[in-house]
Amino acid sequence: MLVEGPVEIVLDDGTVARSERFMVALCTCRRSRIYPWCDTSHRPRERAVPAPEDRNPS
């Protein structure tokens, strides 16, 4: 979720998170390592696919 800043958020434990940026991305899935800010951890990761091996050896 994008929010225009500056932003001040009170977390469940009473901690206050602040950002002075003009726009911030808030995490709504709680997967972010920098919660409450979004680090795009919600995006599916694609694994590198190895090159196909030659299936018809000579």
Side-chain angles (χ1 to χ4, degrees):
M1 173 188 317
L2 292 177
V3 179
E4 289 185 28
V7 176
E8 185 172 289
I9 299 171
V10 180
L11 302 173
D12 293 338
D13 65 358
T15 305
V16 177
R18 292 182 178 91
S19 175
E20 297 296 324
R21 301 186 78 180
F22 69 94
M23 176 109 21
V24 293
L26 299 178
C27 177
T28 59
C29 68
R30 294 188 177 250
R31 294 181 192 159
S32 175
R33 289 183 208 104
I34 57 172
Y35 183 83
W37 318 120
C38 180
D39 68 0
T40 68
S41 294
H42 60 275
R43 292 183 183 170
R45 303 285 187 236
E46 292 184 24
R47 294 184 180 178
V49 178
E53 296 178 8
D54 185 15
R55 297 184 193 272
N56 295 323
S58 301

